[in-house]
Amino acid sequence: MKLPSLSPQTVFYVAGALTTAASIKGTGAYLMTETNGDLLLSTAGAIALGIAVYAGCEVAFNHKGAIKRVVAGFVAASAIALSSYTIYQHITLPLVEQHQAELRQQQTDARAEAQRVRQQQAAVTQTLQQQQADLRQQIEDLRQFNAADASRVTDLDGSSQKGAAWQAVQLRKAIAERNTEIGQLMGRLENYTQRLTAAPVTPVAETVQQHTPSNTADVPLDQATLARASLYDLMTLLLVLFAGWFKTHKREQEQGQVVSLQAANQAAKDTLQQLQNAIVTCNGAIAHANEAAMTCNRLQWTAIEGGKSLQLPAIEQTKEGFRQLTWDAAVGLLKNRKIIPAEDNAVTLEIIMQATGWGRTKVTELREFAYENGYLARDVKGKGFTYFYSEVASNVIPLASRTA
């Protein structure tokens, strides 16, 4: 089976339509995500954007009118940019979702870490507070011991009991040692207080914020991916451009062929006109010769008006510059039966037209004139008449015209 041949511009237009369809598919897939699965909105938006790209390129490259082409070019460029970036978003959507999942995991980990830190800080705080309470209790106990010993020292100082002075000295020594220990415990207590004051518990929200990026949707632009996403629309642009070039080339070839055909047709018309002029000239010469013979036989024609001899020319020139038989010469051809009839002796319009070079209207008038003057006879045939040469001698001019 012989496959139909396709012109280059048709191939490019079909290829452009296919790349546009691919672009529509990619755009529609991402719009489904944006519209939460609304098939009508996604399909309508994708098709409208694809048509804007294709039609804009077609008008910008292949139509006339500077303003129209500039506007169409702007529309096509805007639609290509929007379509390309939409396809880019569709391609990078899995990467964005993965990035967002990683960010959510980071937030979860940050919250867990903050909770752990908070629990750890709470445990440290509780330990320090417990240690402070223990130190205060120890200090309080030592102070109570000192107060009791100080009271006994006072009693011993006023007593005359043997060994009272020595006991008082021992008690004062014990009180001094306790005061030293109380000072040390007070220093440790101050240290615990400073630790509690200098390291407060960090809130969970603050820790999460420290571990969360400022923009959770901020994904670096991949220029290579964007270029690949623009491939469909850019190919549509190039294919429509190539189709327009091939169409222009074909139109120029056809115009060249038309010019050649017109030149050949005009040459043929000129040649045909020259052949026709030659035939008319020959017929005119024949008619003139017949008229000359008639003049010799009848001496000359007598003019109907004026009563003077009249020598009639056989050929005249039209307004267009063509040469044709005169009326009288054509009448003479029928009158003298110089036009050969058909095989059935019928004198048809076509035969008269060929002999005189006249049109159908003028030949019809000539044939009616010949009939009215007795040069031709006719019979009814169907809805019309068949004309043939009359049996009456044609060299006698009737005095009055007959009516049909």
Side-chain angles (χ1 to χ4, degrees):
M1 182 178 65
K2 185 178 180 181
L3 297 176
S5 59
L6 298 177
S7 61
Q9 62 266 25
T10 302
V11 174
F12 282 118
Y13 275 130
V14 172
L18 292 177
T19 55
T20 302
S23 175
I24 290 174
K25 180 180 178 182
T27 304
Y30 183 76
L31 291 180
M32 285 286 289
T33 304
E34 291 288 335
T35 58
N36 295 323
D38 193 322
L39 181 61
L40 179 60
L41 287 178
S42 303
T43 304
I47 292 177
L49 194 58
I51 291 176
V53 172
Y54 190 90
C57 294
E58 169 66 18
V59 174
F61 291 136
N62 302 323
H63 284 233
K64 295 181 179 180
I67 298 178
K68 180 170 64 175
R69 295 180 66 181
V70 169
V71 174
F74 175 77
V75 172
S78 302
I80 288 175
L82 182 59
S83 176
S84 300
Y85 189 70
T86 303
I87 296 175
Y88 169 79
Q89 289 178 307
H90 173 63
I91 295 174
T92 58
L93 181 60
L95 300 177
V96 173
E97 292 177 345
Q98 180 182 357
H99 181 67
Q100 291 177 346
E102 292 175 353
L103 292 178
R104 287 192 295 269
Q105 185 62 40
Q106 290 178 5
Q107 291 178 346
T108 302
D109 296 342
R111 290 190 180 93
E113 178 66 18
Q115 186 66 24
R116 187 188 65 79
V117 171
R118 181 177 180 180
Q119 293 175 353
Q120 183 179 5
Q121 289 181 343
V124 171
T125 300
Q126 185 178 3
T127 301
L128 291 176
Q129 290 175 348
Q130 183 62 41
Q131 290 176 347
Q132 281 182 330
D134 294 341
L135 288 176
R136 290 189 182 96
Q137 186 63 42
Q138 292 179 14
I139 293 172
E140 182 63 24
D141 292 342
L142 291 175
R143 285 175 177 174
Q144 289 180 0
F145 287 147
N146 286 342
D149 289 344
S151 177
R152 289 183 62 190
V153 169
T154 300
D155 293 340
L156 289 174
D157 288 340
S159 173
S160 58
Q161 184 180 357
K162 184 181 178 180
W166 181 83
Q167 292 180 357
V169 171
Q170 295 298 322
L171 290 173
R172 287 189 180 92
K173 186 184 293 186
I175 291 172
E177 291 177 356
R178 292 190 190 99
N179 287 332
T180 300
E181 186 177 359
I182 289 173
Q184 293 175 352
L185 294 176
M186 290 293 295
R188 292 174 60 187
L189 181 62
E190 179 65 23
N191 180 265
Y192 291 159
T193 302
Q194 291 178 357
R195 289 173 62 183
L196 288 173
T197 305
V201 178
T202 303
V204 177
E206 181 180 350
T207 305
V208 173
Q209 185 178 5
Q210 293 175 356
H211 289 80
T212 302
S214 58
N215 186 2
T216 57
D218 186 12
V219 178
L221 180 66
D222 190 347
Q223 296 183 354
T225 303
L226 180 60
R228 289 192 295 271
S230 306
L231 178 64
Y232 301 108
D233 295 308
L234 292 178
M235 288 304 298
T236 298
L237 183 146
L238 293 176
L239 290 170
V240 172
L241 176 61
F242 292 154
W245 286 350
F246 273 95
K247 184 168 65 176
T248 302
H249 178 67
K250 182 179 179 181
R251 186 185 302 116
E252 292 175 351
Q253 287 184 331
E254 291 176 349
Q255 290 177 350
Q257 293 176 355
V258 169
V259 172
S260 299
L261 290 175
Q262 289 177 346
N265 188 26
Q266 185 61 39
K269 288 182 178 179
D270 294 340
T271 302
L272 181 60
Q273 187 62 49
Q274 292 175 1
L275 294 172
Q276 184 176 359
N277 290 337
I279 293 173
V280 171
T281 302
C282 292
N283 290 334
I286 294 172
H288 187 71
N290 291 331
E291 290 296 328
M294 289 289 298
T295 302
C296 293
N297 293 331
R298 310 184 280 110
L299 297 179
Q300 66 179 11
W301 283 3
T302 301
I304 297 176
E305 296 180 358
K308 295 181 180 180
S309 297
L310 181 62
Q311 185 67 31
L312 300 175
I315 298 176
E316 64 181 359
Q317 190 171 6
T318 64
K319 295 181 180 179
E320 293 77 10
F322 299 142
R323 302 176 68 191
Q324 67 178 11
L325 290 178
T326 62
W327 174 267
D328 294 328
V331 171
L333 292 177
L334 289 175
K335 178 180 178 181
N336 298 306
R337 303 187 179 188
K338 297 302 181 180
I339 297 179
I340 301 175
E343 294 180 357
D344 58 354
N345 294 323
V347 182
T348 63
L349 294 177
E350 288 74 13
I351 292 177
I352 302 175
M353 290 170 61
Q354 185 176 5
T356 61
W358 290 357
R360 180 174 292 272
T361 302
K362 194 171 183 180
V363 167
T364 302
E365 183 181 356
L366 173 64
R367 191 171 66 172
E368 290 298 320
F369 178 83
Y371 168 72
E372 292 174 356
N373 286 272
Y375 308 146
L376 293 177
R378 69 184 183 185
D379 288 336
V380 177
K381 184 178 181 180
K383 296 182 179 181
F385 299 97
T386 300
Y387 291 84
F388 51 87
Y389 285 118
S390 174
E391 296 298 330
V392 181
S394 60
N395 57 357
V396 179
I397 302 177
L399 298 177
S401 299
R402 300 188 307 171
T403 57

